[in-house]
Amino acid sequence: MAALPRPMELCFATRAGTCQRAPTSMPKKRRAGASSSTVRCVATAPAPAPMGEKTEYRDGPLERAFMGLFARKMEKYATKKKQPQPQSPEPETKAVWDWDYESFVDVSRRVMVGRTRAQQQEAVREVLLSMLPPGAPEQFRKLFPPTRWACEFNAALTVPFFRWLVGPSEVIEVEIDGVRQRSGVLIKKCRYLENSGCVGMCVNMCKIPTQDFFTNEFGLPLTMNPNFEDMSCEMIYGQAPPPLEEDPVSKQPCYPNLCSMSTPSAPVCPKLQA
């Protein structure tokens, strides 16, 4: 009889960045010479890379599935590649788990091409709506009216569910109308901004559409404050966003050394003005 395979070993998260030795679930009576412990890999959140470098992520099938689902929806609005690589499957036949983050960002970049700022934001809105079942915004409004509890609950959900998109984050305390509450989320170094290196993509394809979607479609105010100095970002549930003209991001210049579409001579990113 063939030898039975060893039991699957599960990873567990700790603050340490090393592998730890943990007891197994073997019965008390062990074979002679059998080891009483097993080395298990410790799953940890990646440490953000220094500015100008990309953080290394190890995406699993679930993360890749989210990337593929969003990228496939966005392909409808993206310009076609001028020189498609024959080795790569076409987007129509590419399985959702075959996508990676680089290809997801590439689709986002192609959505921007030939579109005004408002058209880019509308494309993202249509993609977000297409990911939801009919009547979802109305149901969300009923389940999550703009109360303190709803704001804090959605902040807590953001940390695990948005991790594939923006990277590690944590819930923080913020002040809204003089009240302290834990409805803020601090994204340590936004994966989307880090990989695109584009101020226009951050604002037009993420910040403004997400704010607008939660505030106007879901009825739950949301303000996002990206920090272009270190690529962190603060999300504040329960705080209404200001008009773009009054938002400091509207005056942000390009990343001349990071963005392939940058205009170094322009005082403000052209994608924020078009």
Side-chain angles (χ1 to χ4, degrees):
M1 181 181 293
L4 292 175
R6 294 185 178 181
M8 181 180 295
E9 295 172 1
L10 301 177
C11 289
F12 60 98
T14 70
R15 291 179 181 243
T18 60
C19 288
Q20 292 190 351
R21 191 172 292 273
T24 65
S25 58
M26 293 176 65
K28 293 182 179 179
K29 292 183 179 180
R30 298 183 178 88
R31 301 187 309 272
S35 173
S36 61
S37 61
T38 301
V39 175
R40 298 184 183 181
C41 178
V42 176
T44 58
M51 190 68 174
E53 299 179 18
K54 292 183 180 180
T55 305
E56 181 180 353
Y57 289 87
R58 296 180 180 179
D59 297 311
L62 183 60
E63 288 83 4
R64 287 177 174 269
F66 274 116
M67 297 170 195
L69 287 171
F70 270 85
R72 279 176 146 186
K73 295 287 186 180
M74 293 174 70
E75 273 286 356
K76 175 182 176 181
Y77 303 92
T79 58
K80 300 299 181 182
K81 291 184 179 180
K82 293 182 179 180
Q83 296 179 344
Q85 297 179 358
Q87 303 94 326
S88 301
E90 290 298 319
E92 294 77 15
T93 60
K94 201 173 182 180
V96 290
W97 51 82
D98 287 334
W99 291 81
D100 58 20
Y101 203 83
E102 292 293 337
S103 55
F104 167 72
V105 172
D106 176 68
V107 174
S108 301
R109 188 176 288 112
R110 288 188 285 115
V111 170
M112 296 183 72
V113 176
R115 284 187 169 85
T116 65
R117 183 183 70 197
Q119 290 171 337
Q120 294 166 32
Q121 296 166 12
E122 179 60 23
V124 177
R125 175 182 173 275
E126 292 296 328
V127 169
L128 292 175
L129 284 173
S130 70
M131 300 291 292
L132 302 174
E138 292 78 9
Q139 289 300 317
F140 187 97
R141 286 174 176 265
K142 293 178 181 179
L143 291 172
F144 302 108
T147 63
R148 173 175 176 173
W149 177 87
C151 294
E152 293 185 335
F153 184 76
N154 277 272
L157 287 181
T158 296
V159 173
F161 284 100
F162 279 60
R163 189 179 188 280
W164 71 271
L165 177 62
V166 299
S169 61
E170 62 182 356
V171 175
I172 60 173
E173 188 178 68
V174 294
E175 183 174 329
I176 300 176
D177 297 330
V179 178
R180 304 293 298 181
Q181 58 189 52
R182 292 182 60 79
S183 65
V185 176
L186 177 63
I187 300 168
K188 299 178 181 180
K189 189 182 183 186
C190 180
R191 187 179 186 182
Y192 190 68
L193 179 57
E194 181 183 46
N195 277 262
S196 66
C198 181
V199 170
M201 286 181 67
C202 166
V203 176
N204 295 339
M205 302 289 290
C206 182
K207 171 183 161 64
I208 300 298
T210 306
Q211 288 181 166
D212 180 75
F213 200 79
F214 272 89
T215 303
N216 298 319
E217 300 293 337
F218 284 165
L220 188 68
L222 171 66
T223 295
M224 299 178 67
N225 297 319
N227 183 336
F228 293 101
E229 296 295 323
D230 60 5
M231 294 188 172
S232 65
C233 183
E234 187 179 65
M235 303 176 68
I236 306 176
Y237 288 95
Q239 184 177 88
L244 180 61
E245 295 72 20
E246 300 175 14
D247 197 313
V249 301
S250 63
K251 306 295 191 294
Q252 183 66 30
C254 294
Y255 283 125
N257 299 323
L258 301 179
C259 182
S260 60
M261 303 182 291
S262 69
T263 307
S265 59
V268 177
C269 174
K271 292 294 183 181
L272 301 180
Q273 301 174 312

